[in-house]
Amino acid sequence: MENLFFSLMTDLLNQTGLMSITIGNIIMIFVGAVLLYLGIVKKYEPFLLVGIGLACIVANVPGSELTKEGGLFYYAYQGVEKLILPPLIFLGVGAMTDFGPMIANPSLVILGAAAHLGIFVALIGAKLFGFTLAEACSIGIIGGADGPMAIYTTMKLAPHLLPQISVAAYSYMALMPLIQPPVMRLLTTKEERQIIMKQPRYVSRLEKIVFPVVIAVIVNLFLPPVAPLITMLMLGNLLRESLCVDRLAETASNALLNIVTLVLTVAIGSTMAAETFLTPNTLLIIGLGLVAFVFGTGSGVVCARIMCKLTHGQINPLIGSAGIASVPIAARVSHMVGQQENRRNFLIMHAMGPNLAGVFGTAISGGIMLALLAH
Amino acid sequence: MNTLPDTISGALILSCIDFVLSFIFISFIGVILYFFPKMNRLGEIKEKKN
């Protein structure tokens, strides 16, 4: 009787995940807990980190069926793998974004290209560490600070690196309020950070309606590899600006975007299983991603500083870092650092111009990489 | 179709081409945006939602 009891208990124990948990699983569960802490307690992009953190923890519990074929997280990941979710995210982002600040100040769009030096520093760095050129490009695009674009490019060039690259891209985007300010302060003077910029001009409804149509045509004409993403971004924006399909714009920017974000974060977190994630390459990719963010922030600030000199102090160099994309996180960081220097300085609208241009900058970089390599 | 060599020099060539073309494309968008205010002469669309 006693033997039967112990035999049954052993069988029960063997059916749980307790017997197959590894040190790697424990480390990744800790990583997931840190992401949850940063999201919930520190409020660093909780919309991203809460889903990623919990899915990371669940993906490393050995008994979990959620990430296996047939599980809900597995199907969430299919949305990423089949490139369905990134364009839908862009649709929602377009529907909630006012491109007025970018249209109002065309001279600032150059910062959207300048702040992408980090992409190429990380690309060359990855090549030096022995990655293939396609893998290096996927790693470099982390520096574009654009999650959907990073996923899209990686799925075309180096799909096996998707877990590491998407986690690095989204984690660093969430941590931008920590990464960017020291670089911004290092490369600017106190006087420059206090510059108050002129109010941007009024942008008419006609301009806002024509903008997405023109950009969609340009991107489809010159950058077909990334056209699905930018076209959806522009469709979302046209829904918003046309003012005649409010329900569609409202759905795309709220309900749809929330649902897709939820599915996307869960999908990314579910790829963080210890056996695929805890490799030396992951550490390299995460390190190179940080290098890309730092250099991108720095190059954007330096370019804005040059523009500041050329315009005799009319441009606050802090807005340069917003050219790295990651709308609107990078613009908020510019605004926050500006406010710390001068409470009356409201840089958010000025920073949104380069920030939005950064989306196109990343798309252009990714599009050129895909055009040259994805064949 | 020509392919880039999978070497450091390939990475350097790709980076240079990409960085320069990014500036050119973005500047092109900037130039187009520069002319946007001119279209307001064509007329205006009322801001009121339906």
Short mmCIF file of all heavy atoms in Angstrom, two decimals, chain A residues 17-29 60-62 273-275 278:
data_model
loop_
_atom_site.label_atom_id
_atom_site.label_comp_id
_atom_site.label_asym_id
_atom_site.label_seq_id
_atom_site.Cartn_x
_atom_site.Cartn_y
_atom_site.Cartn_z
N GLY A 17 6.34 19.92 -14.41
CA GLY A 17 7.57 20.39 -15.02
C GLY A 17 8.73 20.44 -14.03
O GLY A 17 9.87 20.72 -14.43
N LEU A 18 8.44 20.14 -12.76
CA LEU A 18 9.47 20.31 -11.72
C LEU A 18 10.73 19.50 -11.99
O LEU A 18 11.84 19.95 -11.74
CB LEU A 18 8.90 19.91 -10.35
CG LEU A 18 8.04 20.95 -9.65
CD1 LEU A 18 7.43 20.37 -8.39
CD2 LEU A 18 8.86 22.20 -9.33
N MET A 19 10.54 18.28 -12.54
CA MET A 19 11.67 17.38 -12.71
C MET A 19 12.57 17.79 -13.87
O MET A 19 13.72 17.38 -13.95
CB MET A 19 11.19 15.93 -12.93
CG MET A 19 10.33 15.40 -11.80
SD MET A 19 11.13 15.55 -10.20
CE MET A 19 12.36 14.26 -10.29
N SER A 20 12.03 18.59 -14.82
CA SER A 20 12.86 18.92 -15.99
C SER A 20 13.29 20.39 -16.03
O SER A 20 13.82 20.85 -17.04
CB SER A 20 12.11 18.56 -17.27
OG SER A 20 10.81 19.06 -17.23
N ILE A 21 13.08 21.11 -14.94
CA ILE A 21 13.49 22.52 -14.94
C ILE A 21 15.02 22.60 -14.89
O ILE A 21 15.68 21.79 -14.24
CB ILE A 21 12.83 23.29 -13.76
CG1 ILE A 21 12.90 24.79 -14.03
CG2 ILE A 21 13.46 22.94 -12.42
CD1 ILE A 21 11.87 25.59 -13.28
N THR A 22 15.57 23.54 -15.65
CA THR A 22 17.03 23.66 -15.73
C THR A 22 17.47 24.99 -15.12
O THR A 22 16.64 25.88 -14.87
CB THR A 22 17.50 23.64 -17.20
OG1 THR A 22 16.93 24.78 -17.86
CG2 THR A 22 17.07 22.36 -17.90
N ILE A 23 18.79 25.12 -14.94
CA ILE A 23 19.34 26.40 -14.45
C ILE A 23 18.98 27.51 -15.44
O ILE A 23 18.64 28.63 -15.05
CB ILE A 23 20.88 26.30 -14.33
CG1 ILE A 23 21.27 25.27 -13.25
CG2 ILE A 23 21.51 27.65 -14.02
CD1 ILE A 23 20.99 25.71 -11.84
N GLY A 24 19.05 27.15 -16.76
CA GLY A 24 18.72 28.13 -17.80
C GLY A 24 17.30 28.64 -17.65
O GLY A 24 17.03 29.83 -17.77
N ASN A 25 16.37 27.71 -17.37
CA ASN A 25 14.97 28.11 -17.16
C ASN A 25 14.86 29.08 -15.99
O ASN A 25 14.15 30.09 -16.06
CB ASN A 25 14.09 26.89 -16.88
CG ASN A 25 13.93 25.99 -18.08
OD1 ASN A 25 14.00 24.77 -17.98
ND2 ASN A 25 13.74 26.58 -19.26
N ILE A 26 15.60 28.77 -14.93
CA ILE A 26 15.52 29.62 -13.72
C ILE A 26 16.07 31.01 -14.04
O ILE A 26 15.48 32.03 -13.65
CB ILE A 26 16.28 28.96 -12.55
CG1 ILE A 26 15.54 27.67 -12.14
CG2 ILE A 26 16.39 29.91 -11.36
CD1 ILE A 26 16.31 26.78 -11.21
N ILE A 27 17.18 31.05 -14.80
CA ILE A 27 17.75 32.35 -15.18
C ILE A 27 16.73 33.15 -16.00
O ILE A 27 16.51 34.34 -15.76
CB ILE A 27 19.07 32.16 -15.98
CG1 ILE A 27 20.15 31.57 -15.08
CG2 ILE A 27 19.54 33.49 -16.58
CD1 ILE A 27 21.41 31.14 -15.82
N MET A 28 16.09 32.48 -16.97
CA MET A 28 15.14 33.19 -17.83
C MET A 28 13.88 33.60 -17.08
O MET A 28 13.28 34.63 -17.39
CB MET A 28 14.78 32.33 -19.06
CG MET A 28 15.91 32.17 -20.06
SD MET A 28 16.68 33.72 -20.57
CE MET A 28 15.36 34.52 -21.45
N ILE A 29 13.48 32.80 -16.09
CA ILE A 29 12.34 33.20 -15.26
C ILE A 29 12.70 34.47 -14.49
O ILE A 29 11.90 35.41 -14.36
CB ILE A 29 11.92 32.05 -14.32
CG1 ILE A 29 11.23 30.94 -15.14
CG2 ILE A 29 10.98 32.54 -13.21
CD1 ILE A 29 10.96 29.66 -14.38
N ASN A 60 9.40 29.45 -19.94
CA ASN A 60 10.50 28.73 -19.29
C ASN A 60 10.03 27.82 -18.16
O ASN A 60 10.86 27.27 -17.43
CB ASN A 60 11.54 29.73 -18.79
CG ASN A 60 12.36 30.26 -19.94
OD1 ASN A 60 13.24 29.58 -20.43
ND2 ASN A 60 12.02 31.46 -20.40
N VAL A 61 8.73 27.69 -18.03
CA VAL A 61 8.19 26.69 -17.09
C VAL A 61 8.03 25.40 -17.90
O VAL A 61 7.25 25.37 -18.85
CB VAL A 61 6.84 27.16 -16.51
CG1 VAL A 61 6.26 26.07 -15.63
CG2 VAL A 61 7.02 28.44 -15.73
N PRO A 62 8.82 24.37 -17.60
CA PRO A 62 8.88 23.20 -18.48
C PRO A 62 7.53 22.54 -18.78
O PRO A 62 7.34 22.05 -19.88
CB PRO A 62 9.80 22.24 -17.72
CG PRO A 62 10.62 23.12 -16.85
CD PRO A 62 9.75 24.26 -16.47
N ALA A 273 12.68 31.14 -24.65
CA ALA A 273 12.98 29.88 -23.94
C ALA A 273 14.49 29.76 -23.76
O ALA A 273 15.26 30.14 -24.64
CB ALA A 273 12.45 28.71 -24.75
N ALA A 274 14.90 29.23 -22.60
CA ALA A 274 16.32 29.20 -22.24
C ALA A 274 17.17 28.50 -23.30
O ALA A 274 18.25 28.98 -23.64
CB ALA A 274 16.49 28.51 -20.89
N GLU A 275 16.67 27.37 -23.84
CA GLU A 275 17.50 26.58 -24.75
C GLU A 275 17.85 27.32 -26.04
O GLU A 275 18.90 27.09 -26.63
CB GLU A 275 16.86 25.22 -25.06
CG GLU A 275 15.46 25.25 -25.63
CD GLU A 275 14.37 25.24 -24.54
OE1 GLU A 275 14.66 25.66 -23.40
OE2 GLU A 275 13.25 24.85 -24.85
N LEU A 278 19.52 31.45 -24.27
CA LEU A 278 20.75 31.59 -23.48
C LEU A 278 21.95 31.05 -24.26
O LEU A 278 22.45 29.97 -24.00
CB LEU A 278 20.61 30.85 -22.14
CG LEU A 278 19.80 31.57 -21.06
CD1 LEU A 278 19.80 30.75 -19.79
CD2 LEU A 278 20.32 32.96 -20.78
#
